[in-house]
Amino acid sequence: MTTGDKVPTNDTNFDLVRLVFVTQSGAVRAHEINAEKVDTAVENGTPISELVQSYNAFGRRDKDGRLGAAGEVKLQPDPETMRSLPYAEQTGCMLCNIETLAGNPWPIDPRSSLQKFISEMAYQPAVAFESEFHLFTRDSDGEAQPLDTKGVYLTESTRETHETIRRIVTALESQGLVVEKYYPEYAAGKHEVVIGHQPGLRAVDEHILLRETVKSVARTDDFRATFLPRPFGTATNGCHIHLSLWDDANRFYDSAKGEPSELCEQFIAGILTHASALLALTAPTANSYTRLRPQYGAAGFVCWGTGNREALVRIPATQAGTEAQSTRIEFRGADNTINPYLALIGLLAAGADGIQRELEPPKSVTVDPGTLSPTQRAERGIERLPQTLGAALDALATNETMREVLGDELLETYLEVKRSHWDAFTESARSWNRDRLRRIY
């Protein structure tokens, strides 16, 4: 397994250091401390209100929820994640766990929950988040307008945004992220920067750094960036999660047969079995479900296939001679409104259940499932994914595998936050404004 070098610790003289964490809502948040207080923060943590975890994406909280105004916890920065932020002068950052004031893991902290889950796995995950985003400006009326020409790899799109993309790539590389490729995507203003795979926790940390970097660099160029699943008209943004399991070798590859392994197929079967509940973690906003539709360049059905971009789980093609290293699955039902720590826990838990129970996936789908008739899909056991956040949350609430892995406190807190999001949508559906979410993601 290729793990990459140790996360670089930049010894630049900082004035400020951001202590970065992600709440249940998927929003990236931070405390900034004086650089002279970093050693103290690493040793003792920095107190914050536990109430922060109860806010949804709109800054509202469920006042009847389990987290009240009186409780406090602390941010515990991970010094190995220290970076200099190239877009913020004299400022560094560290990713944080959240602990109790007594120094114990807080049961509803997403980052330490992922750490614990991975530490107990039989195999170690190699993960890459493949994130799409839009660059846009605002016209004289304040309306958002995509920045460049409709893409699909057009060189014209690369010319129109070259300088901004170059600065994004440079900023990512200066933080130790490996940028593998970039290309303009289908819709006007849509782009994708692909970073290399890393071990599970580091991959999530780097995904958060990518999101922060893209939005920050765009801002310095007087543009805006959004990762919202459906930010404009028919335009969409996904977050495809690539994953394989390793010990001394890639266990998703059967070297004797030269094809994906039985363990890989069991993992896929687990994902398909838990797909409805999993979607509450990987497509966690009302806006997410305007993207997950048949024949929309995203998953609409519970199925899998080799090279099938309309399937929920795809096995991507590999280059000749690299099969043992690069055989993997791609989960296409995620977007960038996720809390990525929780999304990865869900994926790993679903797959691990498939391995433990030796589940067999249904026959792979070699066509666009949206072109099949309802009868044909029924005969193949191809079901529709949940079509609303509310339906996915109901599935998550009754899924015993997810409850066992996440624990009651974390699961119920997450459900409270996301149900408050869903309630806000259903109560004001006619006046729902995508622009509000665009400012968050």
Side-chain angles (χ1 to χ4, degrees):
M1 176 179 177
T2 302
T3 60
D5 297 329
K6 182 179 178 181
V7 173
T9 299
N10 191 317
D11 59 0
T12 301
N13 292 321
F14 303 126
D15 293 328
L16 297 169
V17 175
R18 292 179 187 173
L19 306 184
V20 176
F21 61 104
V22 186
T23 60
Q24 312 292 331
S25 70
V28 181
R29 302 184 187 273
H31 273 209
E32 286 197 0
I33 61 173
N34 189 298
E36 294 179 357
K37 302 294 184 181
V38 167
D39 290 342
T40 300
V42 170
E43 183 175 355
N44 300 319
T46 297
I48 61 167
S49 170
E50 65 181 29
L51 197 61
V52 176
Q53 284 288 343
S54 71
Y55 286 98
N56 65 23
F58 305 104
R60 301 175 187 170
R61 67 178 178 90
D62 181 359
K63 295 181 180 179
D64 297 321
R66 62 187 54 240
L67 299 179
E72 285 195 326
V73 287
K74 62 179 181 177
L75 296 177
Q76 191 59 52
D78 181 348
E80 289 196 349
T81 66
M82 173 70 85
R83 258 88 169 186
S84 174
L85 297 180
Y87 49 80
E89 186 177 358
Q90 294 298 105
T91 302
C93 85
M94 289 187 281
L95 281 299
C96 298
N97 289 346
I98 306 178
E99 296 182 350
T100 68
L101 294 180
N104 299 316
W106 193 31
I108 70 170
D109 172 41
R111 189 174 188 270
S112 58
S113 295
L114 176 62
Q115 276 182 305
K116 181 176 184 295
F117 185 83
I118 290 176
S119 71
E120 296 171 351
M121 291 181 63
Y123 306 97
Q124 293 302 295
V127 182
F129 291 83
E130 191 177 89
S131 296
E132 299 164 344
F133 60 91
H134 276 70
L135 295 173
F136 67 98
T137 57
R138 294 189 182 277
D139 62 22
S140 58
D141 296 324
E143 294 296 321
Q145 300 294 334
L147 186 58
D148 53 67
T149 307
K150 189 173 182 177
V152 201
Y153 316 137
L154 279 177
T155 54
E156 185 174 356
S157 289
T158 64
R159 289 194 292 271
E160 290 176 355
T161 56
H162 172 73
E163 291 302 320
T164 296
I165 295 298
R166 182 178 63 82
R167 278 189 277 275
I168 288 172
V169 170
T170 300
L172 291 170
E173 290 178 338
S174 76
Q175 296 170 81
L177 279 66
V178 178
V179 178
E180 293 194 339
K181 59 181 176 179
Y182 152 76
Y183 46 88
E185 268 279 8
Y186 175 74
K190 183 176 179 179
H191 301 268
E192 183 171 321
V193 174
V194 180
I195 58 176
H197 75 274
Q198 296 290 354
L201 182 66
R202 179 171 173 182
V204 177
D205 288 344
E206 291 193 354
H207 170 68
I208 293 166
L209 292 171
L210 180 143
R211 281 165 52 177
E212 288 292 288
T213 299
V214 168
K215 296 188 70 130
S216 298
V217 172
R219 189 93 181 216
T220 61
D221 282 2
D222 293 327
F223 303 137
R224 297 292 185 271
T226 178
F227 291 87
L228 191 65
R230 189 174 173 183
F232 305 100
T234 59
T236 64
N237 290 316
C239 177
H240 304 151
I241 303 175
H242 293 248
L243 190 151
S244 55
L245 295 181
W246 292 70
D247 47 23
D248 59 331
N250 181 3
R251 295 307 169 188
F252 275 9
Y253 180 69
D254 187 328
S255 58
K257 296 181 179 179
E259 61 186 30
S261 66
E262 181 181 28
L263 186 138
C264 179
E265 293 192 355
Q266 291 171 347
F267 194 96
I268 292 171
I271 290 176
L272 300 184
T273 297
H274 297 286
S276 293
L278 184 56
L279 226 60
L281 299 172
T282 64
T285 64
N287 186 271
S288 300
Y289 295 82
T290 63
R291 169 181 170 266
L292 294 175
R293 302 194 296 176
Q295 298 185 302
Y296 212 66
F301 297 97
V302 182
C303 61
W304 73 288
T306 300
N308 191 337
R309 284 177 167 79
E310 286 288 338
L312 180 64
V313 180
R314 178 175 80 105
I315 297 183
T318 59
Q319 292 183 332
T322 70
E323 295 86 353
Q325 292 75 38
S326 58
T327 295
R328 64 197 185 279
I329 66 166
E330 177 191 49
F331 181 80
R332 296 179 62 80
D335 63 58
N336 289 289
T337 61
I338 56 174
N339 179 309
Y341 301 107
L342 296 181
L344 186 53
I345 291 175
L347 272 173
L348 293 173
D353 185 57
I355 293 172
Q356 182 178 359
R357 294 199 282 152
E358 298 181 346
L359 299 179
E360 293 185 14
K363 186 177 180 181
S364 65
V365 178
T366 58
V367 299
D368 179 350
T371 64
L372 300 175
S373 69
T375 299
Q376 290 173 318
R377 287 196 293 268
E379 289 173 348
R380 300 188 187 194
I382 301 173
E383 299 179 352
R384 184 75 165 87
L385 286 167
Q387 297 180 55
T388 66
L389 175 61
L393 291 172
D394 289 344
L396 177 61
T398 58
N399 187 287
E400 290 304 317
T401 296
M402 295 300 169
R403 183 173 292 276
E404 180 180 354
V405 168
L406 295 172
D408 286 338
E409 289 185 75
L410 176 52
L411 179 64
E412 292 300 332
T413 303
Y414 183 82
L415 288 171
E416 285 177 359
V417 171
K418 289 304 176 180
R419 280 180 172 145
S420 73
H421 178 109
W422 177 240
D423 289 345
F425 171 73
T426 56
E427 289 169 4
S428 58
R430 292 187 179 181
S431 61
W432 188 258
N433 189 345
R434 280 193 300 255
D435 193 53
R436 294 186 66 191
L437 278 175
R438 194 182 290 123
R439 298 175 189 274
I440 304 297
Y441 299 105

